Amino acid sequence: MISKNAPQNALRGPIAARPTTPAATGADHLAYLARRLTPRDRWLTRMLNEHRVFTTRQITELAWNTPRVANMRLLDLYRWRILDRFQPRRSKGTTQMHYVLDVAGATVLAYEDDLDPKRVAFNRNNTVGVAHSLRLAHTLGVNGFFTPMVQRSRQPDSTARLTAWWSETRCAEHFGDTVRPDAYGRWREHGTEIEWFLEHDTGSERPAQRLGTKLLGYARLAISTGITTPVLIWTPTITREATVRRALAEVVPHLADPALVPIATASIEQAVMDDATDPSRAAWLPLARRSLGRRPLADLPEAWPHLPVPHTTPPEKTDTQGKSRPDASTARVAPPDPVPPPPAQFGAPK
């Protein structure tokens, strides 16, 4: 029998409306989420609370094996108001979807850490406002430095692991009166562990002026804490790296003790040419020990024999069991482990 075809939109299922803000933070919706959120979902919300914004590609590197599976789960989290999203405008083509934390996700995190959600400093306008921030590209660049390292860490046969990753905001809370690094990280591989402060250089500033001020701050921090922490400078191109190294060579001799600020540089362009899959495999060149040549991240401590072994855990506040806890005075959510928990087993909620 010949019949009239149904219009395409009639073949699609109904699109569920996202709950309003009061409904998303209400008891009924939180009860609904209790049986649907997996440990990996909760970990992702914690990561977004810490690092503000991730692209779909970065989230896939963090916790999923394929973009398709990641997108399917991200759609659920968006509909449940765990995450929000936006897509920046480009003059040509389209951009990836960008994800930030939403009200239901912030409420869940607060209850997980035994905090009053009203005291947690979450403002949806500010969170989504990152879409218009002049620092959006810089934030994504810093996050893109670490997400491939997380991807490598979570491989079943990997002997390496990213053991700590602090955001610029958390670094500012701890060291902001002296210096404001773009991030703090710690990497363990083949029994060697190295910690560092990251300076993500976008090539838009004069390196001599910026780095001169920064290096003085790092030197003061090393003196005040008694801890020598390397500074890794990640540049976009080989040419920019050379410019930065010349600027550093002018500034470092003026430090009271240059050994307090070990420095190494690398570039995205060089890493791509070397087929390095993540910054831990990139060719890092120590500033004061050029004769040693470029080396991967885990081998950098050989360039600085005076470098102490990193402390067991970063200097976060701890409870009586040694577990990290938020600062009660600021209602700060505890920092996440940078490597996600394993995915839910077969038969568990996805």
Side-chain angles (χ1 to χ4, degrees):
M1 178 183 294
I2 298 175
S3 61
K4 183 178 179 181
N5 293 330
Q8 181 65 32
N9 57 9
L11 301 177
R12 299 192 183 104
I15 299 176
R18 301 179 75 212
T20 63
T21 296
T25 57
D28 290 343
H29 189 60
L30 294 178
Y32 175 84
L33 295 175
R35 61 183 293 268
R36 287 168 173 80
L37 294 181
T38 67
R40 185 168 55 178
D41 296 333
R42 297 173 186 274
W43 172 87
L44 179 59
T45 60
R46 194 172 292 274
M47 288 291 286
L48 278 167
N49 180 72
E50 178 77 12
H51 303 292
R52 301 191 67 189
V53 57
F54 290 122
T55 64
T56 303
R57 177 182 176 181
Q58 290 173 344
I59 291 176
T60 304
E61 290 177 331
L62 284 172
W64 277 270
N65 295 326
T66 64
R68 180 176 180 275
V69 176
N71 277 320
M72 291 173 62
R73 191 56 179 174
L74 289 172
L75 180 59
D76 286 336
L77 297 177
Y78 169 73
R79 288 172 174 169
W80 297 337
R81 297 293 301 270
I82 296 294
L83 307 182
D84 208 341
R85 64 187 185 185
F86 62 88
Q87 198 170 17
R89 180 182 180 276
R90 290 183 62 177
S91 56
K92 294 182 179 180
T94 58
T95 58
Q96 300 179 67
M97 198 65 73
H98 292 51
Y99 286 88
V100 295
L101 193 63
D102 206 347
V103 289
T107 302
V108 169
L109 288 184
Y111 283 125
E112 282 185 352
D113 281 13
D114 198 23
L115 300 171
D116 182 351
K118 296 180 180 178
R119 294 187 60 243
V120 175
F122 176 81
N123 185 307
R124 182 171 178 268
N125 291 335
N126 293 340
T127 302
V128 182
V130 71
H132 307 281
S133 171
L134 296 178
R135 289 179 57 82
L136 174 61
H138 182 269
T139 301
L140 291 173
V142 173
N143 292 348
F145 178 92
F146 287 95
T147 54
M149 300 172 74
V150 175
Q151 184 179 40
R152 181 184 173 191
S153 300
R154 64 185 180 86
Q155 300 309 309
D157 58 346
S158 177
T159 58
R161 184 180 176 90
L162 183 68
T163 58
W165 171 15
W166 285 6
S167 65
E168 181 180 6
T169 301
R170 192 173 297 274
C171 287
E173 291 176 354
H174 285 264
F175 319 115
D177 55 342
T178 305
V179 70
R180 290 176 176 263
D182 292 326
Y184 164 86
R186 178 175 293 186
W187 181 256
R188 184 176 66 238
E189 186 174 1
H190 302 312
T192 300
E193 192 160 11
I194 179 173
E195 61 181 350
W196 71 91
F197 291 120
L198 177 68
E199 288 294 332
H200 177 63
D201 181 83
T202 60
S204 61
E205 298 176 313
R206 295 182 60 184
Q209 294 179 346
R210 183 181 69 88
L211 292 174
T213 303
K214 286 259 186 178
L215 292 187
L216 291 175
Y218 284 119
R220 289 195 299 269
L221 180 64
I223 293 172
S224 62
T225 61
I227 302 173
T228 301
T229 305
V231 178
L232 303 186
I233 301 176
W234 186 238
T235 65
T237 65
I238 297 172
T239 302
R240 178 64 177 184
E241 182 186 7
T243 302
V244 167
R245 291 182 67 86
R246 287 194 296 269
L248 290 169
E250 296 176 2
V251 174
V252 168
H254 297 286
L255 298 177
D257 185 359
L260 292 177
V261 190
I263 301 170
T265 64
S267 71
I268 298 173
E269 184 180 26
Q270 183 69 55
V272 172
M273 292 171 58
D274 295 340
D275 290 328
T277 56
D278 65 82
S280 70
R281 291 188 166 107
W284 293 94
L285 184 61
L287 183 67
R289 304 293 297 276
R290 190 184 182 92
S291 60
L292 295 178
R294 293 184 179 271
R295 53 191 55 217
L297 183 61
D299 292 345
L300 277 179
E302 297 176 8
W304 305 306
H306 66 287
L307 199 65
V309 177
H311 293 274
T312 305
T313 57
E316 179 68 86
K317 295 179 175 64
T318 59
D319 60 20
T320 55
Q321 284 75 40
K323 298 180 180 179
S324 60
R325 62 175 176 81
D327 188 335
S329 63
T330 59
R332 182 82 160 119
V333 173
D337 184 331
V339 179
Q345 298 298 316
F346 179 77
K350 295 181 180 180

